[in-house]
């Protein structure tokens, strides 16, 4: 009895100490005030000589007549500009470290249908790509399984899993997580008569009829998965486990067939995009298009069905040799003019840090500047249902903020201060360390 009582006393003591430490940590969390800066809230007109206050990880106030809290760390922003942190909505951040080393790549699972795979479960918080990317002003990304891109090893799924929204700062994935599941990834099947064998580095060809048969089979399999998920959803929650056999893959698809979780569909060709839109419309799925190299050819369909597009990098070669050299550069303006909501994504790790410049390239080819800026901040947040937390500088939103010496879409602009979840975050990274190391190497004798 005495041992039990002693154990209870010890547990109570530890709990009290932990609670006190937590309370102290909450009280000790610093507040910040950025003063005399030009603030681009993206929720209204820019604020000249404004003040932005950060407290408890959130934006506490923003405007011209704002009181600076006592004890707040003040940053003089005279001559500087303040923006929401940039948002890269299609990356492999945390899922791939060195593309050529398979042991460091966790972007795909075995098999064609893996709806239960969640990107957050595989993210590596200590990835060297993270500090490099956030130093460019990117404060949050979507880690997307099976997203292709420059760092892809060529293997693809049909249902690749669930994309996760993460902050680019934190010791653990729980520290980094914004939302564990924001979209189901679907690599739309293609009629491929030519393929590349990565094992032998040779091209293979097959008859069109055979390729079409494989395509139809995959689409039918996808339909079967969704039909089974609907039947599963009807049984789920009615009766105990003995009433039905639990299936984690079908369980993961229930929010999709209920319209609660969008489908991020990877497709490039106009034919594939049209087929994907018709399929999602028939299945009553909420679709977001990723890639969309020929989205301009079906822009009216995308607008009529309210399908937003996450565009691949603008500095990408055209799909066909007869296409204009600047096809990927002019497409964003064409889609925006057709009132199709767009965002820009890097689709990999290696060039995620150049997200702002990809948007700037489109400005040079007709995209309005404000649309380009929103396409890497507000619009991806809206597209993936996160605009109530991030994307603009408004009171109550998460304080993901960058302070720069100029336009964040310009290559020559420096990020002077970076806040993630209201914490002043260093911009040190491996690239910077190597630059300084070799800049200061001793002269040859």
């Amino acid at each position: 009895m005495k041992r039990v009582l002693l154990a209870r006393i010890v547990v109570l003591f530890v709990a009290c100490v932990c609670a006190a430490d937590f309370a102290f940590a909450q009280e000790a969390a610093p507040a910040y005030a950025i003063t005399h800066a030009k603030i681009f809230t993206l929720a209204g007109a820019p604020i000249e000589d404004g003040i932005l206050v950060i407290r408890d990880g959130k934006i506490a106030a923003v405007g011209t007549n704002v009181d600076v809290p006592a004890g707040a760390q003040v940053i003089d922003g005279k001559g500087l500009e303040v923006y929401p942190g940039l948002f890269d909505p299609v990356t492999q951040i945390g899922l791939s470290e060195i593309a050529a080393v398979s042991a460091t790549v966790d972007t795909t699972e075995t098999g064609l249908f893996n709806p239960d795979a969640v990107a957050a479960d595989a993210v590596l918080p200590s990835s060297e790509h993270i500090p490099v990317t956030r130093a460019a002003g990117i404060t949050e990304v979507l880690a997307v399984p099976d997203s292709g891109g420059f760092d892809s090893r060529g293997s693809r799924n049909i249902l690749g899993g669930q994309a996760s929204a993460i902050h680019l700062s934190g010791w653990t994935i729980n520290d980094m997580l914004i939302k564990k599941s924001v979209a189901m990834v679907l690599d739309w099947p293609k009629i491929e008569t030519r393929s590349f064998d990565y094992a032998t580095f040779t091209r293979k060809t097959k008859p069109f009829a055979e390729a079409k048969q494989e395509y139809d089979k995959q689409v039918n399999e996808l339909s079967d998965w969704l039909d089974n998920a609907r039947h599963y959803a009807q049984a789920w929650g009615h009766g105990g486990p003995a009433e039905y056999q639990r299936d984690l893959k079908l369980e993961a698809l229930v929010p999709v067939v209920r319209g609660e979780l969008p489908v991020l569909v990877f497709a490039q060709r106009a034919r594939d995009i049209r087929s994907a839109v018709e399929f999602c419309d028939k299945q009553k799925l909420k679709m977001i298009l990723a890639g969309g190299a020929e989205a301009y050819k079906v822009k009216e369909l995308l607008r009529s069905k309210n399908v937003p597009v996450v565009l691949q990098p603008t500095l990408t070669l055209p799909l066909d040799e007869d296409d204009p050299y600047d096809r990927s550069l002019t497409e964003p303006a064409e889609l925006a003019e057709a009132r199709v909501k767009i965002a820009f994504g890097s689709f990999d790790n290696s060039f995620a840090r150049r997200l702002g410049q990809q948007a700037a390239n489109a400005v040079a080819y007709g995209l309005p500047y404000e649309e380009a800026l929103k396409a890497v901040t507000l619009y991806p947040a809206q597209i993936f249902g996160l605009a109530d937390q991030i994307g603009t500088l408004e009171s109550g939103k998460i304080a993901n903020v960058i302070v720069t010496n100029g336009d964040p879409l310009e290559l020559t602009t420096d990020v002077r201060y970076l806040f993630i979840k209201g914490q002043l975050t260093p911009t040190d990274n491996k690239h910077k360390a190597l630059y300084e190391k070799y800049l200061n190497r001793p002269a040859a004798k």
Side-chain angles (χ1 to χ4, degrees):
M1 190 70 179
K2 289 182 178 179
R3 289 181 179 178
V4 173
L5 180 61
L6 180 61
R8 288 179 177 176
I9 292 173
V10 170
V11 170
L12 181 62
F13 175 76
V14 171
C16 290
V17 170
C18 290
D21 286 345
F22 178 77
F24 176 77
Q26 292 293 98
E27 292 177 3
Y32 298 91
I34 304 166
T35 62
H36 304 298
K38 185 174 183 178
I39 302 175
F40 294 80
T41 67
L42 300 191
I47 301 172
E48 300 284 350
D49 196 19
I51 300 173
L52 185 140
V53 175
I54 298 172
R55 186 165 45 205
D56 298 328
K58 301 288 184 70
I59 297 173
V62 58
T64 52
N65 297 315
V66 173
D67 293 329
V68 176
Q73 182 175 331
V74 177
I75 296 173
D76 186 359
K78 188 174 183 179
L80 301 179
E81 299 177 356
V82 182
Y83 297 86
L86 306 189
F87 183 1
D88 191 339
V90 178
T91 74
Q92 295 178 5
I93 295 290
L95 302 178
S96 174
E97 196 67 8
I98 304 172
V101 181
S102 59
T104 70
V105 178
D106 199 3
T107 57
T108 57
E109 298 292 333
T110 303
L112 293 177
F113 297 91
N114 300 288
D116 56 325
V118 181
D121 294 336
V123 167
L124 177 67
S126 60
S127 169
E128 291 289 356
H129 292 285
I130 290 176
V132 171
T133 302
R134 72 184 180 214
I138 300 169
T139 55
E140 62 271 345
V141 303
L142 249 60
V144 181
D146 194 33
S147 58
F150 183 82
D151 297 320
S152 175
R153 293 181 58 82
S155 59
R156 303 302 298 264
N157 306 135
I158 293 178
L159 285 176
Q162 301 165 49
S164 302
I166 59 175
H167 298 287
L168 290 189
S169 178
W171 283 96
T172 68
I173 185 59
N174 290 334
D175 293 336
M176 301 170 69
L177 209 56
I178 300 174
K179 190 175 181 180
K180 191 170 186 179
S181 179
V182 296
M184 182 66 68
V185 178
L186 168 59
D187 185 16
W188 186 252
K190 306 169 187 64
I191 302 176
E192 293 183 311
T193 57
R194 293 187 301 171
S195 61
F196 188 81
D197 188 344
Y198 282 87
T200 61
F201 276 80
T202 58
R203 291 194 176 277
K204 295 184 176 181
T205 60
K206 66 180 69 173
F208 178 84
E210 182 181 339
K212 180 65 164 62
Q213 187 177 15
E214 290 180 3
Y215 167 82
D216 290 338
K217 179 183 176 182
Q218 291 180 341
V219 174
N220 289 335
E221 283 183 309
L222 180 59
S223 297
D224 290 342
W225 274 95
L226 295 171
D227 289 341
N228 291 336
R230 289 189 178 90
H231 294 312
Y232 188 89
Q234 291 175 346
W236 195 20
H238 294 81
E243 301 294 325
Y244 63 95
Q245 184 177 359
R246 189 175 185 190
D247 188 316
L248 295 180
K249 291 191 175 186
L250 293 180
E251 222 167 271
L253 282 172
V254 169
V256 175
V257 297
R258 287 179 174 172
E260 299 166 357
L261 187 69
V263 179
L264 181 62
V265 181
F266 283 77
Q268 299 286 9
R269 296 287 185 181
R271 177 179 62 187
D272 297 330
I273 296 170
R274 190 179 293 108
S275 298
V277 172
E278 291 172 355
F279 179 88
C280 290
D281 191 44
K282 181 180 178 181
Q283 295 284 344
K284 294 181 171 54
L285 307 180
K286 183 180 178 182
M287 176 178 166
I288 302 167
L289 177 61
E294 291 186 343
Y296 65 94
K297 292 183 178 181
V298 291
K299 58 189 177 184
E300 295 303 325
L301 174 64
L302 295 173
R303 182 192 58 76
S304 66
K305 298 299 181 181
N306 196 28
V307 176
V309 184
V310 180
L311 291 167
Q312 62 190 355
T314 49
L315 291 180
T316 302
L317 289 174
L319 286 182
D320 298 316
E321 61 181 12
D322 292 333
D323 289 338
Y325 77 92
D326 58 355
R327 180 69 269 178
S328 61
L329 291 160
T330 59
E331 183 181 36
E334 196 169 341
L335 291 175
E337 188 176 4
R339 290 176 294 148
V340 175
K341 181 165 288 186
I342 63 169
F344 293 98
S346 65
F347 287 62
D348 59 32
N349 291 334
S350 300
F351 299 106
R353 67 187 188 280
R354 290 289 165 250
L355 178 68
Q357 287 77 59
Q358 299 289 356
N361 291 333
V363 175
Y365 285 79
L367 182 67
Y369 172 79
E370 187 173 348
E371 289 294 294
L373 183 58
K374 288 182 177 179
V376 290
T377 50
L378 175 59
Y379 290 163
Q382 290 176 339
I383 289 170
F384 290 97
L386 302 171
D388 61 330
Q389 301 180 68
I390 55 177
T392 59
L393 300 180
E394 297 179 88
S395 297
K397 289 195 174 183
I398 297 172
N400 285 0
V401 181
I402 56 174
V403 183
T404 70
N405 63 352
D407 182 355
L409 304 189
E410 287 288 346
L411 183 63
T412 55
T413 295
D414 293 325
V415 176
R416 296 292 179 85
Y417 301 95
L418 175 74
F419 293 88
I420 298 180
K421 294 189 298 180
Q423 295 296 316
L424 188 57
T425 305
T427 57
D428 294 336
N429 59 82
K430 190 171 185 177
H431 287 194
K432 184 178 178 181
L434 289 174
Y435 169 77
E436 292 176 349
K437 174 182 177 179
Y438 290 101
L439 179 68
N440 297 311
R441 67 180 180 178
K445 296 181 180 178

